[in-house]
Amino acid sequence: MPMMRAALAGALLAACAPALAGTVTVITSFPKDLTQAYKTAFEKTHPGITLEILNKNTVSGIAFVRETPEGQRPEVFWASAPDAFEVLGREKLLSPAADMANPQVPDKIGSYPINDPGGMYLGQALAGYGIMYNTRYTKAHKLTPPAEWKDLLDPQWFGHLGMTAPSRSGTMHLTVETILQGEGWEDGWRTLLRMSGNARQMTERSFGVPDGVNNGQFGAGPVIDFFGLSSKYSKFPVEFVYPTETAVVPANIALIAGAKNTEEGKKFVAFTLSQAGQELLLEPKISRLPVLPYKDLAGKIPEGYPDPAQIAQRSKVHFDADLSQKRYYVVQALFDQTITFRLADLQAANKAIYDAEKTLGDKARSGKAAELLSQARALAWSPLIDARTAADPEFLAVFLRDKKDASTSKQITQLEGEWSSKARANYEQAVKLAREAAAL
């Protein structure tokens, strides 16, 4: 009987007590300096809710959401790449988010919508893409500080760049797409191949590039702006520049469909868009561009801080997220097979071409030597897929099918194998031709 009374009393107390708040799980590619600041501030304003951060690169994050059973998924997806949200939206893995939007946020940055017109995800910060470089490193190695992507193609930068792959980083995917959309498919890939051939390393994560520039492992590298700006405002010897070929697009936040704790997930999304959540972006270790207009953040903007409206105005790129989403997996696969997994071969081709140019001097401009070098450059720096193929809906559809399907997997594996073999053969032939030219 005493045991029954105790159990009954416990049940009554539990019924009368306020419901315990749950855990909100956020899957994100953002660094700890940013996520920890938001975790601390959010938990302080929402006592009882625990914010759990699940850090994955954007590509892995998409796969994690896709593979987690409905009812068990994290509540929030938070990342820089708008095309990643298009992928999740297409696969019905997002819940409507329009009711959490902050009405003070403008409709567009330049010509680009800040919030998804379909209401499935919201812009939480603005992001541009550019070049971060170490000022001490460039001075020590007598390198000309870069201002445009083309500057990183110069032979002087051979072995001095750090890069990562779009399959490992959503922000790198955006950088690749920005170059492809700014220059066109064929010329864009030439830029990417030449730049990658100058790289010392393809890092495992996007963080590896800014970390390497900060510590002097690399002289420069392509990064999303907040990596460069946060390092600069944290007093590292670095600078960050926006090339004229850049894109200012939203870094987004969304609710994941089939999550465990959606209502409290909404509270976190709303917090990130509030005045307090936007002001956190301006902390030196974070240094991101808010979506709230600067007039609403009067007195909070650091001196000399970039103005996203001005950057968008001078940019030559009008980013097309739909185009990027359609060829999302094709771009990743082509980059990996011709660059990431063939980096040593591509580096050898770049070096052979540069050595031949240096050896030949003026003779590299005409005659047989010039012809051989032209062939070597074409082999090393031309994409294996032409623009027409890259725009073919049937070709693109292959990479959008379920890769668990045996026939689809086989078809993709065969294509990737062909690209890898062709890239290797092209780079080896480029080395041979460049050396022939140098011997003339």
Side-chain angles (χ1 to χ4, degrees), residues 229-230 232-235 278-290 292-308 310:
L229 295 173
S230 61
K232 178 179 177 178
Y233 285 104
S234 297
K235 308 302 183 184
Q278 289 290 288
E279 288 179 4
L280 278 177
L281 295 170
L282 301 171
E283 291 190 2
K285 286 186 177 181
I286 298 176
S287 292
R288 301 209 67 162
L289 307 180
L292 273 184
Y294 278 15
K295 65 180 177 61
D296 294 342
L297 296 164
K300 302 291 184 180
I301 306 296
E303 186 178 351
Y305 208 67
D307 184 337
Q310 291 180 3

Side-chain angles (χ1 to χ4, degrees), residues 345 348-350 352-353 376 426-436:
D345 298 318
N350 271 32
I353 292 167
N426 283 356
Y427 299 148
E428 289 177 349
Q429 183 65 8
V431 170
K432 181 181 177 182
L433 292 172
R435 287 175 178 168
E436 282 182 31

Side-chain angles (χ1 to χ4, degrees), residues 329-351:
Y329 295 111
V330 170
V331 167
Q332 289 181 9
L334 187 60
F335 193 102
D336 276 344
Q337 299 304 325
T338 62
I339 296 175
T340 312
F341 305 145
R342 289 291 173 205
L343 183 60
D345 298 318
L346 178 55
Q347 289 168 330
N350 271 32
K351 187 175 188 306

Side-chain angles (χ1 to χ4, degrees), residues 305-340:
Y305 208 67
D307 184 337
Q310 291 180 3
I311 299 163
Q313 188 175 20
R314 75 177 181 87
S315 173
K316 296 178 180 177
V317 181
H318 297 285
F319 193 82
D320 185 341
D322 184 57
L323 173 61
S324 180
Q325 176 264 322
K326 286 177 181 175
R327 62 192 190 190
Y328 190 78
Y329 295 111
V330 170
V331 167
Q332 289 181 9
L334 187 60
F335 193 102
D336 276 344
Q337 299 304 325
T338 62
I339 296 175
T340 312

Side-chain angles (χ1 to χ4, degrees), residues 25 45 48 50 68 119 139 153 156 207 248-249 327 345 377 388 402 408 426 438:
T25 302
T45 56
T50 299
T68 303
K139 187 176 181 179
L153 313 187
Q156 69 173 311
F207 305 160
V248 179
V249 295
R327 62 192 190 190
D345 298 318
R377 294 186 193 103
R388 185 175 178 178
D402 185 356
T408 298
N426 283 356

Side-chain angles (χ1 to χ4, degrees), residues 31-338:
K32 188 174 181 179
D33 283 339
L34 184 150
T35 56
Q36 186 60 46
Y38 274 88
K39 175 178 169 64
T40 301
F42 177 73
E43 290 180 348
K44 184 176 180 180
T45 56
H46 293 80
I49 302 181
T50 299
L51 196 70
E52 178 183 69
I53 303 297
L54 193 59
N55 190 273
K56 292 182 177 291
N57 71 44
T58 305
V59 180
S60 298
I62 292 172
F64 183 88
V65 173
R66 185 188 291 127
E67 293 164 10
T68 303
E70 188 171 356
Q72 298 299 314
R73 294 171 187 149
E75 283 70 35
V76 177
F77 197 90
W78 194 18
S80 294
D83 46 7
F85 289 81
E86 289 291 309
V87 171
L88 289 168
R90 187 192 68 233
E91 297 183 16
K92 311 296 184 189
L93 291 170
L94 298 180
S95 292
D99 61 335
M100 291 165 285
N102 184 337
Q104 301 302 116
V105 173
D107 291 337
K108 293 183 177 181
I109 176 68
S111 60
Y112 197 94
I114 291 180
N115 295 328
D116 172 36
M120 300 306 290
Y121 53 89
L122 304 171
Q124 190 270 327
L126 296 172
Y129 299 83
I131 304 165
M132 176 181 176
Y133 65 92
N134 186 302
T135 54
R136 292 176 186 168
Y137 187 108
T138 53
K139 187 176 181 179
H141 291 270
K142 299 180 180 179
L143 299 168
T144 304
E148 302 285 350
W149 300 119
K150 297 292 186 187
D151 296 336
L152 299 180
L153 313 187
D154 193 281
Q156 69 173 311
W157 280 99
F158 181 77
H160 296 296
L161 300 182
M163 293 178 63
T164 192
S167 61
R168 300 171 181 175
S169 163
T171 57
M172 185 59 189
H173 193 107
L174 263 290
T175 303
V176 167
E177 267 294 342
T178 295
I179 292 171
L180 292 176
Q181 293 189 24
E183 300 184 14
W185 181 266
E186 308 274 355
D187 289 343
W189 273 107
R190 289 188 188 97
T191 293
L192 291 167
L193 286 159
R194 291 179 67 182
M195 189 191 306
S196 301
N198 280 353
R200 179 185 301 176
Q201 181 185 342
M202 287 285 154
T203 66
E204 289 298 320
R205 291 288 303 271
S206 55
F207 305 160
V209 177
D211 285 352
V213 176
N214 282 340
N215 64 31
Q217 180 186 1
F218 310 129
V223 300
I224 190 171
D225 54 8
F226 75 84
F227 280 142
L229 295 173
S230 61
S231 292
K232 178 179 177 178
Y233 285 104
S234 297
K235 308 302 183 184
F236 281 94
V238 303
E239 288 290 343
F240 175 83
V241 292
Y242 294 96
T244 49
E245 280 177 3
T246 190
V248 179
V249 295
N252 299 295
I253 194 162
L255 286 172
I256 297 169
K260 295 173 284 187
N261 197 3
T262 298
E263 288 307 309
E264 289 180 340
K266 287 182 177 181
K267 293 178 182 178
F268 177 68
V269 174
F271 173 77
T272 69
L273 295 164
S274 69
Q275 182 88 13
Q278 289 290 288
E279 288 179 4
L280 278 177
L281 295 170
L282 301 171
E283 291 190 2
K285 286 186 177 181
I286 298 176
S287 292
R288 301 209 67 162
L289 307 180
V291 289
L292 273 184
Y294 278 15
K295 65 180 177 61
D296 294 342
L297 296 164
K300 302 291 184 180
I301 306 296
E303 186 178 351
Y305 208 67
D307 184 337
Q310 291 180 3
I311 299 163
Q313 188 175 20
R314 75 177 181 87
S315 173
K316 296 178 180 177
V317 181
H318 297 285
F319 193 82
D320 185 341
D322 184 57
L323 173 61
S324 180
Q325 176 264 322
K326 286 177 181 175
R327 62 192 190 190
Y328 190 78
Y329 295 111
V330 170
V331 167
Q332 289 181 9
L334 187 60
F335 193 102
D336 276 344
Q337 299 304 325
T338 62

